[in-house]
């Protein structure tokens, strides 16, 4: 564990320290596009934050290759080299897109090429554990197609959700933490050496996101751009492919004592089509809804619009920060629920906790639609906007102002009525006299 934490801290420190110089470079290079209609920020902000994140990735892999307990990952497996090769292609594509812009179809093609490069170097899905059937070996063509599809979907899901300050980096950090917990349990709890690369990739990804978040939280001083969003999407997909397609279920069978129990335990989060989609369910849902929405409206699936989930949260009344935290909450709930279900799928407490947290999340999600008035004894525990005394004062002030306008009072110098500050005070007359 100490080696993984050291690698995580190195990746975070390098990313954090590089982001400042990268911001200055992005400003000097003119990587500050004009504000578009769908954007939510008010002034041009530099991009190219992915340069710092790529530096954190390289630093994390370099340090890990010299640690005693992690050297075997590089000596016995070619997956770190495969990851670095694919990440380099995606990162270069993202840098070009952040500076000059790249056609959507070209980006899709390069994403497929990067996934193909990783497949050629051994980072691919070899088999699928299917309940009731057992291990289903994949042909080279099936393995390649499934791996490429998983990489492309994950990259674009993360890229689509990158619309608010700190949103993509925070959500990927949550997903990477869930991956780390699951893969570390496979490696340390069951002695599965093939899970070590996925654990390493997840630890480095957590460090990359944590190092970039302080610069990217609202109000953001720099954006990661496509060079960052596509990069962390590829690293996340690589972790999923490594843990799902490379681990031999027979090794876990030796630990559980029952092949049937092994398949049953692994299915909820082990299958490559379930694990990544459950961990990044919110970005994938946003991706699917965006494609359906744009196709339904007769537009290209790659055309940008202002209909993403985070845009809808803003439209219903949530603030920028609250919208981000709501997306964090749902991502964490789904990701850690999947990991918890994989640990003990028969636990009633896990199900009850998921139901309770989902209900709380729905309540927070719908808060802008209604403003409940809490009892006076609980006012100190809620934000000011939900306090009864504050709402009563605001309603009285609005009623007094409207009455003054109807009485023909002229506006004052500071925008108040000729009644002065008295117009903002609560109207203490009886209801009958006010009518």
């Amino acid at each position: 564990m100490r080696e993984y934490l050291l690698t995580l801290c190195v990746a975070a420190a390098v990313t954090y320290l590089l982001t400042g110089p990268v911001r200055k470079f992005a400003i000097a290079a003119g990587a500050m596009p004009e504000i578009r209609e769908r954007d939510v920020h008010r002034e041009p902000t530099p991009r190219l934050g992915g340069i710092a994140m790529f530096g954190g990735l390289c630093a994390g892999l370099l340090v890990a290759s010299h640690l005693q307990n992690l050297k075997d990952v590089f000596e016995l497996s070619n997956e770190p080299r495969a990851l670095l090769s694919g990440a380099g292609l995606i990162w270069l594509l993202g840098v070009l897109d952040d500076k000059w812009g790249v056609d959507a179809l070209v980006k899709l093609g390069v994403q497929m090429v990067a996934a193909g490069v990783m497949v050629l170097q051994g980072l691919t899905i070899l088999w699928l554990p299917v309940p009731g059937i057992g291990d289903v070996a994949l042909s080279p063509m099936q393995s390649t197609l499934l791996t490429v599809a998983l990489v492309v979907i994950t990259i674009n899901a993360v890229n689509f959700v990158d619309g608010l300050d700190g949103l993509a980096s925070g959500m990927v950090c949550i997903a990477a933490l869930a991956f780390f917990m699951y893969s570390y349990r496979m490696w340390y709890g069951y002695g599965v050496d093939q899970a070590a690369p996925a654990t390493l990739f997840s630890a480095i990804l957590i460090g990359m996101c944590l190092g970039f978040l302080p610069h990217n939280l609202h109000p953001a001083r720099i954006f990661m751009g496509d060079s960052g969003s596509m990069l962390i999407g590829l690293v996340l997909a690589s972790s999923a492919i490594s843990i799902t397609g490379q681990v031999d279920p027979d090794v876990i069978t030796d630990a559980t004592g029952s092949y049937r129990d092994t398949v049953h335990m692994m299915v909820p989060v082990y299958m490559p089509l379930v694990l990544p989609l459950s961990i990044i369910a919110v970005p994938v849902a946003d991706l699917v809804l965006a494609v359906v929405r744009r196709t339904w409206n007769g537009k290209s699936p790659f055309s940008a619009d202002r209909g993403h989930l985070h845009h809808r949260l803003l439209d219903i009344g949530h603030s920028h920060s609250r919208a981000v935290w709501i997306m964090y909450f749902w991502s964490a709930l789904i990701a850690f629920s999947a990991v918890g279900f994989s640990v003990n799928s028969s636990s009633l407490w896990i199900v009850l906790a998921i139901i309770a947290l989902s209900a709380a999340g729905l309540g927070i999600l719908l808060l802008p639609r209604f403003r409940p008035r809490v009892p006076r004894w609980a006012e100190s525990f809620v934000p000011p906007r939900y306090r009864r005394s504050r709402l009563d004062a605001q309603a009285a002030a609005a009623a007094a102002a409207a009455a003054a306008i109807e009485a023909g009072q002229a506006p004052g110098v500071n925008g108040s009525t000729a009644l002065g500050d008295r117009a903002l005070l609560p109207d203490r007359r009886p209801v009958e006299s006010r009518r």
Side-chain angles (χ1 to χ4, degrees):
M1 176 63 77
R2 289 178 298 178
E3 287 80 4
Y4 289 117
L5 292 178
L6 176 60
T7 305
L8 186 155
C9 293
V10 169
V14 171
T15 303
Y16 178 81
L17 294 175
L18 284 179
T19 304
V22 167
R23 180 179 183 274
K24 296 180 180 179
F25 169 75
I27 295 175
M32 298 178 61
E34 297 294 333
I35 299 178
R36 300 159 297 186
E37 183 180 355
R38 69 178 187 273
D39 291 334
V40 297
H41 55 282
R42 302 294 181 84
E43 58 185 24
T45 305
R47 295 185 179 181
L48 294 177
I51 296 178
M53 304 182 84
F54 186 73
L57 172 64
C58 295
L61 290 175
L62 180 62
V63 170
S65 64
H66 290 83
L67 296 178
Q68 183 65 31
N69 294 330
L70 296 181
K71 287 194 299 184
D72 293 342
V73 176
F74 296 84
E75 295 174 355
L76 303 179
S77 173
N78 202 37
E79 293 182 17
R81 300 179 185 87
L83 170 64
L84 193 59
S85 301
L89 286 175
I90 285 295
W91 172 76
L92 182 60
L93 170 67
V95 170
L96 295 177
D97 185 49
D98 290 340
K99 180 61 178 73
W100 291 287
V102 178
D103 184 73
L105 293 179
V106 175
K107 288 197 292 185
L108 180 63
V110 177
Q111 291 170 5
M112 298 174 66
V113 171
V117 169
M118 294 194 300
V119 170
L120 291 177
Q121 299 187 59
L123 187 57
T124 182
I125 300 173
L126 300 178
W127 50 62
L128 295 177
V130 180
I133 298 178
D135 298 338
V136 177
L138 301 178
S139 65
M141 179 60 67
Q142 293 173 336
S143 175
T144 300
L145 292 177
L146 185 58
T147 304
V148 171
L150 183 59
V151 171
V152 171
I153 290 174
T154 307
I155 288 176
N156 286 282
V158 175
N159 191 23
F160 272 45
V161 82
D162 184 24
L164 297 179
D165 297 348
L167 181 58
S169 51
M171 292 182 67
V172 172
C173 183
I174 293 171
L177 181 59
F179 264 117
F180 178 81
M181 294 172 60
Y182 179 77
S183 57
Y184 184 78
R185 175 173 173 264
M186 297 281 287
W187 175 72
Y188 184 77
Y190 294 100
V192 181
D193 294 334
Q194 294 91 337
T199 310
L200 175 61
F201 298 163
S202 300
I204 294 176
L205 183 56
I206 295 172
M208 294 164 58
C209 296
L210 289 179
F212 186 72
L213 263 176
H215 301 273
N216 191 231
L217 289 175
H218 183 70
R221 301 178 67 247
I222 184 174
F223 294 151
M224 67 172 66
D226 283 2
S227 59
S229 62
M230 292 194 299
L231 174 65
I232 60 178
L234 181 134
V235 178
L236 186 62
S238 301
S239 302
I241 293 170
S242 179
I243 192 65
T244 54
Q246 302 293 323
V247 175
D248 188 357
D250 293 336
V251 178
I252 304 179
T253 303
D254 296 336
T256 60
S258 171
Y259 182 79
R260 181 176 182 180
D261 293 340
T262 299
V263 174
H264 175 72
M265 180 198 69
M266 294 166 62
V267 163
V269 292
Y270 188 74
M271 291 178 61
L273 298 180
V274 176
L275 175 60
L277 297 181
S278 64
I279 297 297
I280 57 170
V282 175
V284 170
D286 192 21
L287 171 65
V288 174
L289 291 175
V291 172
V292 172
R293 179 180 63 253
R294 294 166 185 175
T295 305
W296 183 268
N297 294 330
K299 300 180 180 179
S300 170
F302 302 101
S303 61
D305 60 9
R306 191 184 166 83
H308 294 287
L309 295 177
H310 49 272
H311 290 139
R312 295 181 181 273
L313 290 175
L314 295 176
D315 293 338
I316 66 176
H318 288 291
S319 64
H320 189 291
S321 299
R322 183 184 293 175
V324 172
W325 282 105
I326 288 175
M327 298 286 281
Y328 285 176
F329 172 83
W330 285 107
S331 298
L333 177 61
I334 297 174
F336 292 112
S337 297
V339 175
F341 189 70
S342 70
V343 175
N344 189 357
S345 59
S346 61
S347 176
L348 179 62
W349 291 105
I350 295 178
V351 177
L352 294 178
I354 294 173
I355 295 175
L357 290 174
S358 299
L362 289 174
I364 297 174
L365 183 64
L366 298 175
L367 276 180
R369 294 299 185 186
F370 65 93
R371 291 191 173 184
R373 298 188 177 188
V374 299
R376 294 190 183 277
W377 59 267
E379 287 186 352
S380 58
F381 301 101
V382 297
R385 65 173 61 90
Y386 302 117
R387 296 174 186 173
R388 182 184 300 271
S389 57
R390 181 182 178 90
L391 293 175
D392 291 341
Q394 290 177 346
I405 294 176
E406 291 178 358
Q409 299 291 343
V413 177
N414 294 326
S416 62
T417 63
L419 295 178
D421 295 337
R422 290 180 298 172
L424 300 179
L425 297 176
D427 193 349
R428 301 184 182 277
R429 293 176 297 165
V431 177
E432 292 78 6
S433 61
R434 275 185 272 170
R435 292 179 179 175

